[in-house]
Amino acid sequence: MPKMNPKGIYVNKNVRLDQLQVYGFDYDYTLAHYSSDLQTLIYDLAKEYLVNELRYPEVCTSFKYDPTFPIRGLYYDKSKGCLMKLDFFGSIEPDGCFFGRRRLSHTEIRDIYGTRHIGRDHARSLVGLMDFFCFSEACLLADIVQYFVDAKLEFDASYIYEDVIRAIDHVHRSGLVHRGILSDPHRYLVKNLFICGQIFQGKILRYLKMLRERGKKLFLLTNSPYYFVDGGMRFMLEDSLDCRDSWTELFDVVIAKANKPQFYTSEHPFRCYDTKNDTLTFTKVDEFLPDKIYYHGCLKSFLQITKWNGPEVIYFGDHLFSDLRGPSKAGWRTAAIIHELESEIQIQNEDTYRSEQAKLHIIQELLGKLHATASSSSRTTAFNSLLEELNEERQKARSKMKMMFNRSFGATFLASTGQESAFAYNIHQYADVYTSKPENFLLHSPEAWLHVPFDVKIMPHHVKVPSSLFKTG
């Protein structure tokens, strides 16, 4: 089997790059990438807020962020307090449902939900944890629930969710996490450098410059405040002397504090931001001027001012709902930036994973044939013994594959059954293409046509033709 490229661009809907004239970017986890230390920082600041402002027990300050526990794309049930992973069709992953930090058994899942499939009534109480900041959120939710369980205290799961969200929101809106990052950028921000002549240059800078040289329009649309973006961009470009102090010149429009996803549906006016005095001006914004920074605004006004039409615009973002759902509905092309895609593909390329994967497929096929050979009433002891043994081997293979990714929830994109996860479903819904970093587009010509692979099919009755049939000689 051919190995996949960890830095590849993966296509859900055909995209012709030669027809794209406008490139838009989110900032956090799109242009800027962070180390794992950021999740610990957010977790610690949020738990301090819970204790100091919301009067949670003092013992909560002793909680530690566990980077091995959460993955992106989980769901929290506000009515039941369960943290779970769902598959492509909305069914609970058999070994991926936790109450606090305790994994629920299959029997417990059925007792709570009646079935593994989440119906419409239960779906209303589920909230998706979809962006890269959700790791600390998921871990804190589980830890708080576990504390109440251990302390034998009654609690309403929805209250815990509202309080944790309030705490996470506070550390962002108050600027605590922004100041923490800028106070130690070497710890939290990750540079992606390559050698250009005798100096190091950021790959993202190389990509943005290439787009400018090709005559493309660029805009930055972020929820973060300008001072934070400015500090981060200066740090990431400090090795590129010609751009460090003038990074805004890379963009035709810079919009901060955009308040996505409301940006896409509201009618909030744009305000020009005075960077020297840290104030908003009162002049009406009816055009975007060079080297100016704009706050707030809405998609409707943005389109009226720029005259940039949907199909010629592509927007890069990491949050499937806040960043990409709105642009997708507006007719923009969308590119999801999924940082963990690289590590997951690297694992899938390893011989140990592929060996277990092949074993699982063989067992699945044998089980299918075995079930087809005899009715329930005519099964012998030997038949049942073989059935039990195959089921055990299947579970072992699934468990080994899962542990290669994450001991609690497995792979981000796959369920243990081999089906895609609910996170993968949302990528398919809202992202035309997805990759781990925007600069991966440097591997393709700006005039390239990106096509959906011919052998990728969603419906099982569509035949997947192996590429080996087309090889000659």
Side-chain angles (χ1 to χ4, degrees):
M1 288 177 62
K3 293 188 176 182
M4 306 304 290
N5 182 1
K7 298 182 185 296
I9 298 171
Y10 296 94
V11 186
N12 289 324
K13 301 170 188 173
N14 295 339
V15 176
R16 287 183 55 177
L17 297 185
D18 63 327
Q19 293 185 342
L20 297 176
Q21 301 303 320
V22 184
Y23 286 69
F25 299 89
D26 184 28
Y27 175 71
D28 293 300
Y29 285 108
T30 300
L31 293 181
H33 289 278
Y34 300 96
S35 71
S36 57
D37 289 334
L38 178 58
Q39 300 299 334
T40 301
L41 175 65
I42 296 172
Y43 181 96
D44 289 343
L45 292 172
K47 74 181 182 184
E48 289 173 8
Y49 182 84
L50 287 172
V51 172
N52 297 333
E53 301 298 328
L54 302 185
R55 299 296 184 262
Y56 271 62
E58 191 74 27
V59 68
C60 294
T61 58
S62 65
F63 295 169
K64 302 291 183 184
Y65 174 69
D66 180 3
T68 68
F69 176 66
I71 62 172
R72 191 182 342 199
L74 300 177
Y75 289 81
Y76 179 75
D77 186 344
K78 292 188 293 183
S79 67
K80 308 292 185 182
C82 296
L83 185 68
M84 67 188 73
K85 178 181 175 183
L86 301 180
D87 69 16
F88 195 89
F89 301 102
S91 294
I92 301 171
E93 176 86 325
D95 295 316
C97 186
F98 284 74
F99 187 64
R101 295 299 291 271
R102 184 176 70 84
R103 191 191 312 272
L104 297 181
S105 68
H106 298 192
T107 301
E108 288 174 311
I109 293 173
R110 284 196 300 270
D111 289 343
I112 295 172
Y113 294 101
T115 174
R116 283 203 303 115
H117 184 72
I118 298 295
R120 290 184 178 179
D121 291 339
H122 280 133
R124 294 191 187 97
S125 66
L126 297 185
V127 287
L129 309 178
M130 294 294 163
D131 69 352
F132 214 77
F133 292 118
C134 74
F135 290 80
S136 46
E137 180 183 334
C139 196
L140 190 55
L141 281 167
D143 288 343
I144 295 293
V145 169
Q146 190 61 52
Y147 165 76
F148 278 96
V149 171
D150 292 342
K152 296 181 172 57
L153 298 173
E154 291 188 11
F155 66 95
D156 188 308
S158 65
Y159 295 167
I160 291 178
Y161 173 76
E162 296 298 334
D163 289 345
V164 169
I165 289 300
R166 182 176 169 186
I168 296 286
D169 189 57
H170 170 76
V171 303
H172 284 93
R173 290 185 180 275
S174 67
L176 282 173
V177 70
H178 298 144
R179 292 191 292 272
I181 292 169
L182 294 181
S183 69
D184 195 357
H186 290 277
R187 178 179 180 183
Y188 296 111
L189 280 163
V190 177
K191 295 181 180 180
N192 190 14
L193 301 175
F194 74 103
I195 297 177
C196 181
Q198 298 298 314
I199 64 171
F200 284 97
Q201 191 176 87
K203 287 186 178 180
I204 189 62
L205 173 61
R206 181 185 174 193
Y207 179 52
L208 297 177
K209 280 186 170 182
M210 183 274 289
L211 292 174
R212 296 285 295 183
E213 291 167 359
R214 298 277 180 164
K216 308 298 183 181
K217 300 292 185 181
L218 274 64
F219 69 92
L220 177 66
L221 178 66
T222 175
N223 284 352
S224 293
Y226 171 74
Y227 81 88
F228 175 65
V229 178
D230 183 55
M233 291 294 285
R234 286 173 180 268
F235 171 76
M236 289 187 291
L237 303 181
E238 67 181 356
D239 302 291
S240 307
L241 300 179
D242 59 331
C243 279
R244 178 178 57 193
D245 296 322
S246 58
W247 66 266
T248 57
E249 294 177 5
L250 294 167
F251 298 93
D252 296 272
V253 184
V254 176
I255 301 168
K257 298 195 78 170
N259 196 31
K260 295 174 291 181
Q262 286 78 14
F263 176 88
Y264 300 112
T265 56
S266 74
E267 296 194 6
H268 292 158
F270 283 103
R271 301 285 297 274
C272 189
Y273 175 68
D274 186 334
T275 57
K276 292 183 179 179
N277 298 312
D278 187 27
T279 58
L280 297 176
T281 66
F282 294 93
T283 306
K284 182 179 180 180
V285 176
D286 51 16
E287 64 176 329
F288 293 130
L289 301 174
D291 297 324
K292 294 293 184 181
I293 309 300
Y294 298 93
Y295 268 27
H296 313 315
C298 64
L299 178 63
K300 180 180 178 180
S301 296
F302 181 83
L303 297 178
Q304 289 173 344
I305 294 172
T306 63
K307 305 296 191 295
W308 292 338
N309 297 318
E312 67 178 5
V313 182
I314 186 169
Y315 186 69
F316 293 72
D318 72 294
H319 196 300
L320 299 178
F321 296 155
S322 294
D323 288 332
L324 303 183
R325 181 162 55 182
S328 179
K329 291 181 177 180
W332 290 0
R333 310 315 301 266
T334 53
I337 302 303
I338 314 295
H339 181 68
E340 55 270 46
L341 182 66
E342 281 191 33
S343 60
E344 295 217 351
I345 290 178
Q346 287 167 354
I347 292 171
Q348 291 174 3
N349 284 341
E350 292 175 2
D351 292 339
T352 50
Y353 178 85
R354 291 186 164 215
S355 175
E356 292 301 327
Q357 187 180 40
K359 185 189 298 183
L360 178 62
H361 289 169
I362 292 170
I363 293 172
Q364 293 273 49
E365 192 171 332
L366 288 173
L367 281 168
K369 291 180 178 178
L370 197 61
H371 281 291
T373 59
S375 63
S376 301
S377 59
S378 62
R379 292 177 180 178
T380 64
T381 302
F383 180 96
N384 290 329
S385 177
L386 178 58
L387 192 63
E388 183 178 345
E389 185 177 347
L390 285 173
N391 278 320
E392 287 178 0
E393 289 301 316
R394 179 175 63 174
Q395 187 56 38
K396 286 179 184 178
R398 285 177 173 175
S399 180
K400 286 181 181 179
M401 291 167 65
K402 175 181 179 178
M403 294 295 287
M404 293 180 194
F405 296 97
N406 175 282
R407 68 185 186 189
S408 301
F409 297 100
T412 304
F413 298 88
L414 286 174
S416 62
T417 57
Q419 294 174 329
E420 283 81 3
S421 64
F423 180 71
Y425 170 81
N426 286 310
I427 291 176
H428 192 267
Q429 285 286 97
Y430 301 119
D432 294 340
V433 297
Y434 60 99
T435 188
S436 62
K437 298 182 181 74
E439 52 265 39
N440 292 342
F441 275 74
L442 285 168
L443 301 174
H444 293 264
S445 163
E447 285 77 39
W449 292 25
L450 304 181
H451 288 286
V452 177
F454 73 93
D455 57 345
V456 173
K457 312 295 181 192
I458 297 299
M459 302 303 291
H461 71 278
H462 291 145
V463 177
K464 298 182 181 181
V465 181
S467 57
S468 59
L469 291 181
F470 299 95
K471 294 180 179 177
T472 59

